[in-house]
Amino acid sequence: MGHAARPATATRATARAARRALPALAAAAGMVAVLGIAPAGAHAAGVAGPAAGAPEKTPVATGYGGAVSSVDPDASAAGIDVLRRGGNAVDAAVATAAALGVTEPYSAGIGGGGYFVYYNAKRHTVSTLDGRETAPLSANQNLFLGKDGKPLPFDDAVTSGLSVGTPGTAATWRDALDDWGTRSLGQVLKPAEKLARDGFTVDKTFRQQTADNEDRFKDFPATAELFLPGGKLPAVGSTLRNPDLARTYALLAKKGVGAIYKGEVGRDIVSTVRKPPVDPKAPRVVRPGDLRAEDLRAYGTKRQAPTRTSYRGLDVYGMAPSSSGGTSVAEALNILERTDLSKLSGRDYLHRYIEASRIAFADRGRWVGDPAAEDVPTKALTSQRFADSRACLIKPDAVLKSPLAPGDPRNPGAPGTCDTRGHAAPTTYEGENTTHLTTADKWGNVVAYTLTIEQTGGSGITVPGRGFLLNNELTDFSFAPADPAVHDPNLPGPGKRPRSSMSPTIVLDGHKPVLALGSPGGATIITTVLQTLLNHLDRGMPLVDAIAAPRASQRNAAQTELEPGLWNSPERARLEALGHAFKENPEIGAATGVQRLGDGRWLAAAETTRRGGGSAMVVRPAG
């Protein structure tokens, strides 16, 4: 997949040279001026200070013994604590994820699901767990259609029992620890249990996310009691405690995740979905869902091979369907493989990146769904042959029009022929929240783990007495085909996993880890991961600056979204002169990554400003 001959100007040596330069570059005060534009935030300055009493956030750290990067310092510290006690990267990832369920409850938690990608340094293998939520076994294509046969309003579908899929996060934790970990679930849950019991410091991002959800949170008494203490927004600098979640974690530590899939927590989830506990005084109409105990009993994670492609002599591994992240990132990289992006102007680099993203999203929309229910040509989508049949659509002096028709990866045609035989359909909507963490340990094992409850605040429905929000993941399905003339592989179905854009990614140089990366952001996850990889591998940016650089996101739409750093830059006008159309997006994604440096140290990198900045930590700054 993607193993055709490489251009002489873009070799493994080029990528290695860029990585060797990283330690010195990472110490510089500002971002490498590759594009001639300001970064979203420079790692030497501009990071918002913490709320009173909150741990300091540091977006980059280098050292020994392992590394953790997440959006939250309490969560990163939980992972580091496990590493210091002799745990491995898998143990640390679960500990970090559990802590994020406390401090980032609007993005992740045991009411949701995710994708876990693991590099085993001893066996030199990459493995994955698909912990995506599933639709009830009773679901069909009419799940989100009203009595009139038309799709429900999106917001009504989100805040309902209809949107809640069978959670997969707890099963992911169990299976990851059983397969690759060295600690028990009870051991790695202890830091998060303590954090939930003792509380964490509310920052500006948490307060704003609560404010954005206040109108619907107040309609659910259990949600309001937890996140609107005293009926008010939590104050910045205050301590928010979640004793119900602490008790739930303690129960899982004692009884295992069977408490969710076969026990009392599961019974509470089912009753909450089937009869949402809405305030009787609230005017909101909250539709019930049809989740049942048999759906929980039937749930299981999927162990499957990762996607893999070769780029600049490196091996790039991602998440296979039901995620579209691995296939889409791989296809875009393969499209760009034959162009030396390191020598292009800022305009031409962005132009080719945008067009490759547009093409990959056109193909994603037609071909990617749950492979248990759909015929998904994963190998063909990630092949160099198919990419070559699509790359020839990109012109240096013209812009493709969206919606762009998909190609046919099963029969891409002769070399040099541009594949435009499909029927164009617009990209369906996908929410823009989630969280991502990356971990590494002293043995060289690496984890990239993206987990979510979908929209910020999920369904808005907290399971009474359990301390966690339920997901609205089923709204990731297409409510109806975007175009009746085009087969949509992402319609609801019994036990089906909705398509995701989560893109946890691990890059290897032979058997040596280079970096791991991922981001939240709905469909913008794919473009965030792709652009960060290109910024680092092709444009020579240190990883923290590759993350901080302003982003563009094209998803087979008429307009490409730009963050302010690009919106206000000269590059925008230069791209518009080619024919590109743009709209502004104040913030795209919130990536985290870890990188193995040539001297044996780990580098952890996170956002400098997005979501208030991320938290990068290492076990020992010095040897």
Side-chain angles (χ1 to χ4, degrees):
M1 293 172 276
H3 290 278
R6 308 297 169 215
T9 54
T11 63
R12 182 180 301 217
T14 304
R16 283 175 172 165
R19 293 195 302 278
R20 283 197 299 269
L22 179 71
L25 290 169
M31 182 179 116
V32 176
V34 177
L35 296 176
I37 50 182
H43 62 266
V47 179
E56 186 72 42
K57 285 188 173 184
T58 304
V60 62
T62 57
Y64 301 90
V68 178
S69 184
S70 80
V71 74
D72 180 77
D74 287 313
S76 294
I80 289 293
D81 180 66
V82 168
L83 292 175
R84 283 179 176 151
R85 295 175 184 271
N88 69 9
V90 174
D91 305 321
V94 176
T96 304
L100 287 169
V102 180
T103 61
E104 266 224 310
Y106 306 151
S107 300
I110 55 175
Y115 298 106
F116 195 102
V117 180
Y118 165 61
Y119 170 68
N120 185 315
K122 184 176 181 180
R123 297 184 177 179
H124 308 306
T125 56
V126 177
S127 305
T128 74
L129 283 174
D130 180 332
R132 184 71 159 154
E133 301 88 338
T134 56
L137 295 170
S138 61
N140 59 38
Q141 292 190 2
N142 300 323
L143 180 64
F144 291 114
L145 301 183
K147 293 180 180 179
D148 59 0
K150 296 180 180 179
L152 297 174
F154 188 79
D155 289 345
D156 291 355
V158 167
T159 309
S160 76
L162 283 176
S163 71
V164 181
T166 306
T169 291
T172 302
W173 295 352
R174 174 197 62 203
D175 293 347
L177 291 171
D178 286 351
D179 287 359
W180 311 307
T182 66
R183 298 293 185 268
S184 68
L185 180 63
Q187 288 174 308
V188 299
L189 285 179
K190 282 192 177 300
E193 180 188 339
K194 183 177 188 301
L195 185 60
R197 184 176 60 250
D198 296 345
F200 66 95
T201 303
V202 173
D203 62 12
K204 292 179 181 178
T205 300
F206 187 88
R207 178 183 166 87
Q208 184 58 54
Q209 290 180 338
T210 310
D212 293 342
N213 283 282
E214 184 177 10
D215 286 346
R216 64 186 189 130
F217 278 7
K218 67 184 181 183
D219 289 344
F220 299 97
T223 306
E225 181 182 1
L226 179 55
F227 299 119
L228 299 170
K232 298 179 181 179
L233 293 173
V236 174
S238 65
T239 300
L240 190 75
R241 296 179 176 85
N242 192 342
D244 286 345
L245 184 58
R247 286 188 288 270
T248 300
Y249 279 165
L251 180 64
L252 295 181
K254 181 179 179 181
K255 295 188 175 182
V257 303
I260 291 178
Y261 297 101
K262 298 178 181 179
E264 55 264 54
V265 178
R267 288 192 292 271
D268 290 347
I269 291 173
V270 169
S271 63
T272 301
V273 171
R274 297 182 67 82
K275 190 175 181 180
V278 63
D279 188 332
K281 298 178 183 178
R284 186 182 302 275
V285 176
V286 181
R287 292 172 172 81
D290 195 37
L291 191 73
R292 301 170 187 242
E294 49 262 45
D295 295 307
L296 292 173
R297 288 197 299 268
Y299 185 83
T301 63
K302 293 176 63 177
R303 294 165 175 81
Q304 58 189 20
T307 60
R308 174 177 174 265
T309 194
S310 180
Y311 185 71
R312 311 301 190 211
L314 303 173
D315 292 315
V316 181
Y317 293 87
M319 194 70 214
S322 57
S323 176
S324 64
T327 56
S328 299
V329 170
E331 181 183 349
L333 289 174
N334 289 339
I335 287 170
L336 296 167
E337 175 78 45
R338 301 189 188 281
T339 302
D340 186 0
L341 301 179
S342 69
K343 295 183 178 180
L344 296 181
S345 67
R347 185 204 71 166
D348 290 346
Y349 160 57
L350 288 169
H351 169 64
R352 288 191 171 272
Y353 152 68
I354 288 169
E355 296 293 72
S357 299
R358 189 192 310 272
I359 295 168
F361 266 87
D363 297 327
R364 161 196 187 263
R366 169 60 184 87
W367 297 105
V368 181
D370 182 352
E374 301 286 337
D375 183 11
V376 184
T378 300
K379 283 191 175 182
L381 280 168
T382 56
S383 70
Q384 191 66 49
R385 181 185 175 193
F386 178 57
D388 289 345
S389 77
R390 301 289 277 161
C392 54
L393 295 171
I394 301 176
K395 307 301 181 186
D397 56 354
V399 174
L400 295 166
K401 301 300 181 184
S402 289
L404 181 71
D408 187 348
R410 303 166 303 178
N411 184 25
T417 59
C418 287
D419 191 348
T420 57
R421 291 166 291 172
H423 189 95
T427 299
T428 53
Y429 177 77
E430 190 174 333
E432 293 192 1
N433 213 274
T434 294
T435 194
H436 178 82
L437 64 95
T438 43
T439 63
D441 62 35
K442 62 184 178 181
W443 299 284
N445 303 304
V446 180
V447 171
Y449 182 23
T450 313
L451 59 160
T452 183
I453 60 171
E454 220 296 284
Q455 197 137 310
T456 305
S459 64
I461 306 171
T462 297
V463 180
R466 299 301 182 182
F468 61 89
L469 286 156
L470 291 171
N471 69 82
N472 66 289
E473 215 64 64
L474 300 189
T475 58
D476 271 354
F477 283 121
S478 303
F479 287 18
D483 186 327
V486 181
H487 174 72
D488 190 329
N490 191 41
L491 294 172
K496 193 175 180 181
R497 285 164 155 83
R499 181 174 62 209
S500 171
S501 295
M502 290 185 277
S503 308
T505 301
I506 293 177
V507 181
L508 302 181
D509 184 353
H511 295 317
K512 297 179 181 179
V514 175
L515 62 90
L517 180 69
S519 176
T524 69
I525 294 172
I526 292 169
T527 57
T528 294
V529 169
L530 174 62
Q531 189 175 0
T532 304
L533 287 172
L534 299 176
N535 285 346
H536 177 62
L537 297 177
D538 288 291
R539 307 294 282 184
M541 294 185 191
L543 184 58
V544 68
D545 290 340
I547 289 172
R551 293 179 182 136
S553 182
Q554 168 54 239
R555 306 187 298 280
N556 197 23
Q559 295 175 301
T560 299
E561 295 177 11
L562 296 183
E563 285 188 323
L566 280 170
W567 181 264
N568 298 318
S569 77
E571 298 299 351
R572 174 184 156 203
R574 295 177 184 131
L575 289 163
E576 286 173 335
L578 280 179
H580 288 278
F582 299 109
K583 65 177 179 179
E584 190 173 12
N585 185 332
E587 186 174 277
I588 298 174
T592 73
V594 297
Q595 180 181 14
R596 187 70 157 176
L597 301 180
D599 58 5
R601 291 180 300 160
W602 286 106
L603 180 145
E607 297 287 355
T608 55
T609 58
R610 296 182 186 96
R611 288 202 188 182
S615 176
M617 295 184 182
V618 293
V619 173
R620 297 189 310 278

